[in-house]
Amino acid sequence: MYGGCQIIVVCALCLLAIASAADETVHDLSSSGAGFVKRIASVEEFESGILNNQDIWFVVFSAMSDDETKLKGVNREKCQKVQDSMIDIAVAMNAHGIQVALADVDDVSALASEFNVRKRMLPMAMLFKTRVRDGDVYKDLASKDIPDLERSVLAALEENPRRSDGHPEKIMLAVGGGEL
């Protein structure tokens, strides 16, 4: 009986470790923020943390579920390749003052629909460089190398004003005398 209890405890600890590892797919590379990837888990978090935030955001949409039904039509290998390179993408973007986030398309399905993000297109990214509910689309991320992606993003930000540190600033639009 004693051995059976030990096996149950060990199995429970293993399941707990596996569940914790599944939630930790994206890590903060350092305490200084270089390489930090924000995980977006809800529409509300996307609204407040990305769209209504004053920072420029590069958001990667992917599929992270283990549910075969949710993954229908998703190229899992491409999604995994991009997810594995998220910290490197973040280091490149953070060097220019651009924040990076990862969103599971199922967690933000209403916004994915609004932005025309389809599972068959994953992984893809959007650059939110203004406060408008729109962003520049970056498709086929799995086949892009990070320096090319970085150059492409910086080219898209050429018209954005610069902060005192020289990094691009999110464009805040004024309509009717008020800021959006």
Side-chain angles (χ1 to χ4, degrees), residues 47 51 108-118 133-134:
E47 292 274 354
L51 297 177
V108 294
S109 59
L111 286 168
S113 179
E114 177 183 340
F115 296 131
N116 199 30
V117 176
R118 303 289 180 250
R133 295 183 68 86
D134 191 23

Side-chain angles (χ1 to χ4, degrees), residues 58-62 75 78-79 81-82 89 93 112 115-127 134-146 148-150 152-153:
F58 185 80
V59 180
V60 175
F61 294 91
S62 192
N75 187 325
K78 285 184 177 183
C79 286
K81 180 180 178 186
V82 171
I89 291 170
M93 298 299 163
F115 296 131
N116 199 30
V117 176
R118 303 289 180 250
K119 287 187 176 186
R120 70 181 184 283
M121 301 171 168
L122 298 177
M124 67 176 284
M126 292 185 74
L127 177 67
D134 191 23
D136 295 358
V137 176
Y138 294 82
K139 295 181 181 177
D140 200 21
L141 285 179
S143 66
K144 294 189 186 316
D145 69 352
I146 293 172
D148 285 343
L149 181 61
E150 182 179 12
S152 178
V153 167

Side-chain angles (χ1 to χ4, degrees), residues 1-159:
M1 184 70 173
Y2 180 72
C5 289
Q6 285 179 324
I7 291 172
I8 290 171
V9 170
V10 169
C11 288
L13 290 173
C14 288
L15 289 173
L16 183 60
I18 290 168
S20 296
D23 291 339
E24 303 274 338
T25 56
V26 179
H27 304 280
D28 182 0
L29 187 63
S30 70
S31 59
S32 67
F36 179 75
V37 178
K38 179 176 181 65
R39 172 76 167 81
I40 303 296
S42 70
V43 170
E44 295 77 20
E45 192 175 354
F46 193 99
E47 292 274 354
S48 64
I50 306 298
L51 297 177
N52 296 329
N53 188 289
Q54 65 185 8
D55 292 325
I56 295 172
W57 283 88
F58 185 80
V59 180
V60 175
F61 294 91
S62 192
M64 295 176 271
S65 175
D66 291 329
D67 184 344
E68 291 297 322
T69 306
K70 289 182 177 183
L71 291 173
K72 190 172 183 174
V74 173
N75 187 325
R76 289 179 234 168
E77 293 80 24
K78 285 184 177 183
C79 286
Q80 190 60 54
K81 180 180 178 186
V82 171
Q83 289 170 30
D84 290 345
S85 65
M86 286 300 298
I87 291 175
D88 294 331
I89 291 170
V91 168
M93 298 299 163
N94 292 165
H96 304 285
I98 303 163
Q99 304 303 312
V100 177
L102 176 64
D104 186 320
V105 73
D106 289 318
D107 292 344
V108 294
S109 59
L111 286 168
S113 179
E114 177 183 340
F115 296 131
N116 199 30
V117 176
R118 303 289 180 250
K119 287 187 176 186
R120 70 181 184 283
M121 301 171 168
L122 298 177
M124 67 176 284
M126 292 185 74
L127 177 67
F128 294 92
K129 61 185 184 177
T130 68
R131 289 284 297 265
V132 177
R133 295 183 68 86
D134 191 23
D136 295 358
V137 176
Y138 294 82
K139 295 181 181 177
D140 200 21
L141 285 179
S143 66
K144 294 189 186 316
D145 69 352
I146 293 172
D148 285 343
L149 181 61
E150 182 179 12
R151 280 190 290 278
S152 178
V153 167
L154 291 175
L157 294 170
E158 283 181 356
E159 294 183 19

